[in-house]
Amino acid sequence: GGHDGGHGCWELRRRTLGGACVCKTASLKATPVRVARAARTSTVAGAAVDNETGLKMARDGIKEAASENLLTPRFYTTDFDEMEQLFSKEINPNLDESELVAILQEFQEDFNQKHFVRNDSFKTAADGITGEARRIFIEFLERSCTAEFSGFLLYKELGRRLKKTAPVCAEIFTLMSRDEARHAGFLNKAMSDFNLALDLGFLTKNRQYTFFKPKFIFYATYLSEKIGYWRYISIYRHLQANPDDQLYPIFQYFENWCQDENRHGDFFTAVLKARPEFINDFEAKLWSRFFCLSVYVTMYLNDHSRAEFYESIGLDTTQFNMHVIHQTNKTTAQIFPQVIDTYNPKFKEHLDKLVVINTALAKAESPMEKAPLVLGFASNLLAIALMKPIDSGSIDFVEDVSDPAFMY
């Protein structure tokens, strides 16, 4: 799903899967970005720099990628053999075939088939965004495109691998990859308004892939899609109420766009319900809180490190983030067995401390400077993890229906 916040989910481990990979893990390399007018670059101290934005270029006409770190959008791979078993009706009798067919029919309707159509206002608006605001916009488009493209690669491979064992689920994944490709393409086309374009083919082959076991893929992608929904719809509603802040027309597409994210999340809800052990034991509660923590913190740090972007469209970054986190958490509480208590004042206190530490870490150079900061970062994360959680979960798994535990 396509948002910058969720796809930055922290890595548990990496490994090369060879044939079972979406794509073989490769060493870190720069993400190339084509520049429409090569003459727009100059060389400063041996490195090409885009004259208009100051963005570093790896070589003439190729933008240097934002370096990969814990907070950048990830490309995922998984154990596809285990996935085949999870989606096999013979092995997993809990799969609700009628629900999956209904979900598939909704995807086949393709409500947004004719939604992502550009017009002349895009290029005109892009030409009007200059200086630092232009650089920030390009970074936003690049990160968003990378996140959407990440979803496309994973869903496409799942659609291919599940064709024989679970044809209905395979087609759902294929159609979800269609949505993500459409989003990524739309964002990449938007980059061309700023005279840049991502080389997505190069990205596929040269990006490092993060390995998650299938159940972790479900947690991560569910949260990613749902937080993407709340980010898109919140920005859309804000700009509908404040049209003067609409710097660029892509935001007008967010209302329908976010419905794609919502449908994707609903599919993962059905998948999680089919595996009660993923959402109703002690281990599931710990992992649920871990993924909530990682996704919320990643978004909060990412957005606060580029608060200028949200301010440029009239948003208060902190208010926007807390609104998205609260709403995502309420949605997530409908299926995850435990969630973080985001309304606990200590939650935001620790988030704000993490922002301060993260800013200092970015400036720190020596290991001596970094060590106490890393320790402070870890202690604040641990403090959030140890906060009293909220028991939640699907009504399907609540034995006492009058028990409010499933209602957040």
Side-chain angles (χ1 to χ4, degrees), residues 128-145:
I129 301 171
T130 57
E132 180 67 3
R134 188 175 181 88
R135 186 189 65 77
I136 293 165
F137 250 79
I138 290 168
E139 189 184 54
F140 164 74
L141 292 169
E142 180 180 356
R143 290 178 67 88
S144 300
C145 182

Side-chain angles (χ1 to χ4, degrees), residues 358-408:
N358 193 49
T359 306
L361 266 173
K363 295 174 184 172
E365 293 176 3
S366 71
M368 290 289 285
E369 282 180 282
K370 289 181 180 179
L373 293 170
V374 170
L375 195 63
F377 196 96
S379 68
N380 276 284
L381 280 180
L382 188 61
I384 297 174
L386 294 176
M387 276 171 32
K388 188 182 178 193
I390 289 178
D391 286 323
S392 54
S394 171
I395 189 169
D396 296 3
F397 298 111
V398 176
E399 290 175 12
D400 178 7
V401 182
S402 62
D403 182 353
F406 68 89
M407 292 295 287
Y408 176 55

Side-chain angles (χ1 to χ4, degrees), residues 199-218:
D199 185 342
L200 296 174
F202 184 94
L203 205 62
T204 306
K205 296 187 186 77
N206 294 277
R207 188 82 169 195
Q208 191 139 8
Y209 284 74
T210 298
F211 175 85
F212 273 172
K213 287 176 69 176
K215 73 173 177 180
F216 300 141
I217 287 283
F218 297 151

Side-chain angles (χ1 to χ4, degrees), residues 34-42 49-51 57 60-62 195:
R34 248 184 353 267
V35 173
R37 298 198 297 273
R40 292 168 62 255
T41 62
S42 58
V49 175
D50 180 59
N51 291 334
M57 315 300 282
D60 192 26
I62 305 292
N195 306 311

Side-chain angles (χ1 to χ4, degrees), residues 225-331:
E225 297 288 2
K226 288 298 184 181
I227 208 167
Y229 166 79
W230 282 110
R231 285 171 66 82
Y232 284 134
I233 196 63
S234 302
I235 291 173
Y236 175 81
R237 285 173 181 163
H238 161 71
L239 291 174
Q240 286 298 297
N242 302 276
D244 291 346
D245 291 327
Q246 184 102 32
L247 288 186
Y248 185 64
I250 199 165
F251 304 115
Q252 293 170 358
Y253 292 74
F254 277 10
E255 185 180 31
N256 287 45
W257 191 324
C258 76
Q259 295 304 333
D260 283 343
E261 313 294 336
N262 211 23
R263 278 187 284 272
H264 296 182
D266 289 344
F267 168 61
F268 286 110
T269 301
V271 170
L272 286 166
K273 277 184 178 177
R275 302 294 298 192
E277 71 275 19
F278 290 173
I279 49 175
N280 70 356
D281 63 13
F282 179 71
E283 187 185 340
K285 289 182 177 182
L286 290 180
W287 283 120
S288 294
R289 280 157 55 199
F290 168 79
F291 276 93
C292 285
L293 171 70
S294 62
V295 168
Y296 300 162
V297 169
T298 300
M299 182 184 77
Y300 203 83
L301 295 181
N302 265 328
D303 288 357
H304 280 79
S305 68
R306 46 188 60 79
E308 306 99 316
F309 170 76
Y310 299 96
E311 287 163 14
S312 74
I313 55 173
L315 281 168
D316 177 299
T317 308
T318 301
Q319 284 181 358
F320 167 67
N321 268 226
M322 290 311 297
H323 170 73
V324 169
I325 287 171
H326 288 323
Q327 297 303 326
T328 304
N329 208 49
K330 287 175 185 174
T331 305

